[in-house]
Amino acid sequence: MKLCEFVASDVDERSDQELAIFAEVILKLYGNASDNDKARLAKNLASSPKTPKGLATKLAEDEVSIALPLLSDSPVFSQEELLGFIESLSDAHLQVIARRPDLSTEVSDALVQKGTKPVHRILAGNQEIQLSRETMLQFVQQAAEDMVMCDDLVMRSDLTPMACRELIPLVNDDVKKRLQKVIQGSLSQDQLEEIARLKELRRELGRALNNTDMKLLWSDADRARISVDDLTILLLQDGRFNHVIELLADRGRIAKSAFKDAVFSGKKDIVLKTAARSGIMLHTFSLFVKVRCEHMKIPLTQGADWIAAYTAYLKTTNTGNGNRCGDFQAKRKERGPSKDPTRVSRFSAA
């Protein structure tokens, strides 16, 4: 393998013709070379963009101890070629690929699909790459049972606000503060004001919000001039999905059992009509659909057609005077001073 060392020592200075001859010779002798010689060759060629593609591929497909420098560093492989390696190589090879700093989201998604937990952990800790939204959400779910994954995820700079919210219950106070800053920094002024408004409504309802009887809770909210939209959002924030179903069934004039069956069985038309009759607007329905997907552990993308259908359905209920549900809710948001000076204290007491 003296020829290998001679050429590989300054491969970037070689002409394309010299490298083509070199690669042809090495590939013919490859079967007779020792693993140590192959490993040295791979190390010498790994960083060069002029490494002949055929030779680089041959080395990358060898034992992982030989393939490692090329799979982790070689610039000659395209993203499409990396996808091909993922389909054909072992999990040990995939762990090496997962360390590359140039992975596209398509490649990292493929590694998640094909690779095992070690591959996932390496990807989560690879700070040089951008993870897709789908991969990020999958890793966040895994983090609940894998503290190594959790520790790697919280250090990422590409965490989405949704990922931060999911990770907060899993981490210590110092990390919580940092994740909360990420969430706050990603919000617009309008969003911050909406959060503050909902916090005020929550304080106003006080312990009345803990009521498990939705008729009574709605009665309290109605007296406080809190809309069904706002009450629905507050309940969803508290993880009370089944109570929201009960509330919407009552406001939408349908039996709770029938509406619950429609929600969980995917009877979209019944859900749309009931939601519209209950008076919730599109943004609240979108949140309801998102929570439904999470509750049923189905992809969030499956809720997109429900949201589109509700948008279209609300348009069909327009009779030239605007959406009746939307107008009703808009009027309810003109809260103004309470005529009952005891209302706030009554909701906050006991």
Side-chain angles (χ1 to χ4, degrees):
M1 296 292 283
K2 295 292 184 182
L3 174 63
C4 295
E5 294 179 5
F6 175 71
V7 176
S9 62
D10 57 352
V11 63
D12 290 335
E13 305 301 321
R14 302 293 175 178
S15 68
D16 291 343
Q17 184 177 11
E18 286 178 313
L19 290 174
I21 295 171
F22 166 68
E24 183 178 352
V25 171
I26 295 303
L27 287 172
K28 286 182 178 179
L29 300 174
Y30 194 85
N32 297 321
S34 69
D35 285 350
N36 286 337
D37 286 336
K38 294 176 185 177
R40 283 201 302 273
L41 178 61
K43 183 177 180 180
N44 288 333
L45 297 177
S47 61
S48 174
K50 295 188 69 175
T51 301
K53 183 67 67 66
L55 179 55
T57 300
K58 185 71 173 179
L59 289 163
E61 292 174 341
D62 211 315
E63 297 294 329
V64 71
S65 58
I66 297 168
L68 191 151
L70 282 155
L71 286 180
S72 62
D73 295 315
S74 179
V76 304
F77 297 128
S78 67
Q79 298 296 304
E80 290 74 18
E81 287 161 338
L82 292 176
L83 286 171
F85 288 146
I86 292 170
E87 288 300 315
S88 61
L89 298 181
S90 72
D91 194 75
H93 289 81
L94 269 53
Q95 291 177 44
V96 177
I97 296 173
R99 293 184 171 89
R100 290 182 66 101
D102 62 344
L103 299 180
S104 67
T105 54
E106 184 180 7
V107 174
S108 60
D109 285 349
L111 284 166
V112 172
Q113 293 298 318
K114 186 76 182 297
T116 58
K117 181 184 288 187
V119 174
H120 294 184
R121 285 178 169 177
I122 293 167
L123 283 173
N126 188 340
Q127 300 280 345
E128 302 299 319
I129 64 173
Q130 184 89 15
L131 297 178
S132 71
R133 182 176 180 275
E134 292 75 18
T135 288
M136 183 71 76
L137 289 176
Q138 182 173 337
F139 283 178
V140 167
Q141 292 173 354
Q142 292 177 12
E145 299 180 355
D146 185 345
M147 289 312 299
V148 174
M149 174 76 75
C150 184
D151 290 344
D152 286 333
L153 279 181
V154 297
M155 299 303 296
R156 297 193 63 85
S157 61
D158 58 345
L159 282 175
T160 62
M162 180 182 294
C164 290
R165 282 191 287 270
E166 295 293 329
L167 288 169
I168 281 175
L170 309 177
V171 298
N172 61 41
D173 289 341
D174 289 339
V175 178
K176 280 181 184 177
K177 291 177 183 178
R178 181 161 55 80
L179 295 179
Q180 286 166 345
K181 287 182 180 179
V182 173
I183 295 171
Q184 293 296 321
S186 69
L187 299 177
S188 67
Q189 184 60 37
D190 286 346
Q191 289 171 318
L192 291 172
E193 290 175 0
E194 177 66 6
I195 290 172
R197 188 183 70 84
L198 289 171
K199 284 183 177 179
E200 177 60 29
L201 295 183
R202 186 179 291 279
R203 283 193 293 268
E204 193 166 341
L205 271 173
R207 296 184 184 178
L209 186 58
N210 296 329
N211 202 327
T212 58
D213 185 322
M214 290 302 100
K215 290 183 182 295
L216 293 178
L217 177 54
W218 171 246
S219 179
D220 286 337
D222 193 39
R223 283 197 299 271
R225 297 175 65 195
I226 292 175
S227 71
V228 68
D229 271 297
D230 288 338
L231 183 56
T232 298
I233 292 170
L234 291 174
L235 291 172
L236 289 174
Q237 286 179 339
D238 291 345
R240 296 169 64 179
F241 185 61
N242 285 320
H243 283 154
V244 169
I245 291 175
E246 185 178 343
L247 173 67
L248 297 184
D250 181 60
R251 304 306 305 152
R253 302 183 300 280
I254 184 175
K256 175 188 172 183
S257 58
F259 185 56
K260 185 173 184 178
D261 174 69
V263 169
F264 288 105
S265 300
K267 297 174 182 177
K268 182 172 61 179
D269 290 344
I270 295 176
V271 176
L272 299 184
K273 292 176 182 178
T274 303
R277 284 198 302 267
S278 75
I280 64 171
M281 293 188 287
L282 178 61
H283 72 276
T284 308
F285 183 77
S286 300
L287 180 60
F288 174 78
V289 170
K290 172 183 173 294
V291 175
R292 172 185 178 267
C293 290
E294 293 172 348
H295 192 82
M296 298 180 66
K297 293 181 171 52
I298 59 178
L300 295 177
T301 52
Q302 292 189 21
D305 63 326
W306 281 43
I307 296 169
Y310 194 61
T311 304
Y313 184 78
L314 290 181
K315 289 180 180 178
T316 66
T317 62
N318 280 343
T319 58
N321 297 318
N323 184 292
R324 289 177 295 172
C325 297
D327 289 348
F328 173 73
Q329 295 301 343
K331 290 176 183 177
R332 294 186 63 83
K333 289 189 177 182
E334 298 172 4
R335 295 167 53 79
S338 171
K339 295 180 180 180
D340 178 2
T342 67
R343 175 168 53 83
V344 175
S345 60
R346 182 172 69 248
F347 286 133
S348 301

